[in-house]
Amino acid sequence: MPALLTVISADDQSKQIIELSYKLGRLLNYEPLITTCNDRELCLKKQLESENYEVSGSEKDFFQVISAWLENPLPDISLIIVPQTVVNINKTYKATRFFSGCRMLKVPYLILPEKVNVSWHPRHIFFPVCTRDGEKEASTWAGSWTKANNSEITILHPEFRCKENQRSLWRLLVFIQRLFDNSNVPYQTIIAGTRKKETNNKALEEAKKTPDSLLIVPATRLNSPEYIFTGPPEIRLLKNRGNTPVLFVNPRHDMYVPCS
């Protein structure tokens, strides 16, 4: 059975995150697994166990914890839930290191908002398609989550002025639409501007104003020297996404793909 791994620390809304993880596990038919990180003397683990939560504990940092879980063939970790405090988006250097470390993951990771809403349900999924690396991999997750949660999904895409770019986009959209049609996933498409930036901004805007929304995007493939000063695009997205959870999918050929 696929498993959903949630990593929490003493700085998080632990109980709310655990309850949400249990809920998502039921919706996706994943086994929820909870572990602490940076848990000095395992104080958080002991506190949660005293309240009848089943929790593993570790004094190691986030990446050491998930690496240990992923190196073990059992359980079958298929998704990681990450509280926003772990990312530390207000400190560009630390957030950049976080996303750099996440590029090794073969499973997607869901970053929760700062204020965790236990009643959140991914009723409306927004999926911007702009010919970026990883959008094919992300489309399988968009379709899987839509089907599993009986959600609505909106594909947003630009209409490029450059004919070659538009042909590449058209081929990608045909692939995604066939994937959804073959999986009986209903969807709607929206043309959002003529540039990638306009499409991404529109997806962000629609997700922010729609209750119970989820944004699914591919993560940045490579590091860039400019990220030392600006950080990767993921930081700006998280700073402007309001209370919308974001599912990041790495553009990897060996990426874990869900069964439809």
Side-chain angles (χ1 to χ4, degrees):
M1 182 179 184
L4 179 162
L5 176 65
T6 301
V7 186
I8 55 176
S9 70
D11 298 326
D12 300 320
Q13 296 174 277
S14 303
K15 296 176 188 176
Q16 291 91 330
I17 293 172
I18 291 173
E19 293 300 324
L20 181 57
S21 298
Y22 288 161
K23 179 180 177 180
L24 287 176
R26 291 191 297 270
L27 290 172
L28 298 168
N29 197 27
Y30 282 9
E31 177 189 3
L33 302 172
I34 315 295
T35 184
T36 63
C37 67
N38 298 315
D39 190 5
R40 195 170 183 181
E41 297 182 356
L42 302 184
C43 291
L44 179 58
K45 168 183 164 62
K46 294 170 184 174
Q47 175 193 330
L48 293 170
E49 284 182 333
S50 70
E51 299 178 32
N52 297 320
Y53 289 109
E54 187 174 340
V55 180
S56 298
S58 177
E59 295 184 286
K60 296 180 179 179
D61 67 24
F62 174 81
F63 285 108
Q64 290 175 315
V65 169
I66 62 172
S67 292
W69 281 87
L70 292 173
E71 286 169 4
N72 190 338
L74 293 174
D76 177 19
I77 306 297
S78 304
L79 175 68
I80 297 172
I81 291 183
V82 185
Q84 182 167 294
T85 53
V86 172
V87 187
N88 208 339
I89 61 172
N90 294 319
K91 294 184 179 180
T92 302
Y93 175 70
K94 290 187 176 180
T96 300
R97 286 187 62 189
F98 170 83
F99 284 107
S100 178
C102 281
R103 291 194 182 100
M104 59 87 175
L105 296 177
K106 296 181 182 179
V107 298
Y109 48 104
L110 178 71
I111 298 185
L112 300 177
E114 184 177 5
K115 295 181 179 178
V116 178
N117 180 5
V118 176
S119 65
W120 175 76
H121 180 98
R123 298 187 191 282
H124 201 135
I125 294 171
F126 293 92
F127 180 41
V129 177
C130 310
T131 65
R132 292 172 299 182
D133 284 346
E135 286 176 346
K136 280 189 176 182
E137 293 95 327
S139 68
T140 62
W141 283 92
S144 176
W145 276 59
T146 300
K147 198 168 183 179
N149 298 295
N150 196 26
S151 308
E152 298 177 32
I153 185 167
T154 299
I155 302 171
L156 301 96
H157 65 87
E159 192 169 84
F160 292 123
R161 293 191 178 98
C162 172
K163 291 183 179 180
E164 183 58 37
N165 290 345
Q166 188 60 27
R167 278 194 290 268
S168 297
L169 175 62
W170 179 81
R171 289 192 292 268
L172 177 59
L173 287 171
V174 167
F175 169 87
I176 293 171
Q177 289 167 356
R178 284 177 178 169
L179 175 69
F180 288 0
D181 289 339
N182 290 338
S183 303
N184 295 316
V185 173
Y187 59 90
Q188 63 171 328
T189 58
I190 295 177
I191 297 175
T194 59
R195 296 180 299 159
K196 295 180 181 181
K197 184 177 180 180
E198 291 174 322
T199 298
N200 291 327
N201 288 343
K202 180 67 173 176
L204 195 59
E205 175 188 323
E206 292 297 319
K208 282 175 65 175
K209 71 182 185 182
T210 304
D212 287 335
S213 62
L214 170 68
L215 193 60
I216 297 182
V217 295
T220 307
R221 181 186 288 276
L222 301 172
N223 284 318
S224 172
E226 68 186 60
Y227 294 167
I228 296 173
F229 306 102
T230 65
E234 288 89 336
I235 298 177
R236 178 184 172 278
L237 188 155
L238 291 179
K239 285 184 175 180
N240 291 281
R241 50 82 179 257
N243 269 347
T244 302
V246 181
L247 182 68
F248 287 103
V249 182
N250 279 328
R252 297 175 57 119
H253 295 301
D254 58 351
M255 183 74 187
Y256 171 85
V257 177
C259 297
S260 299

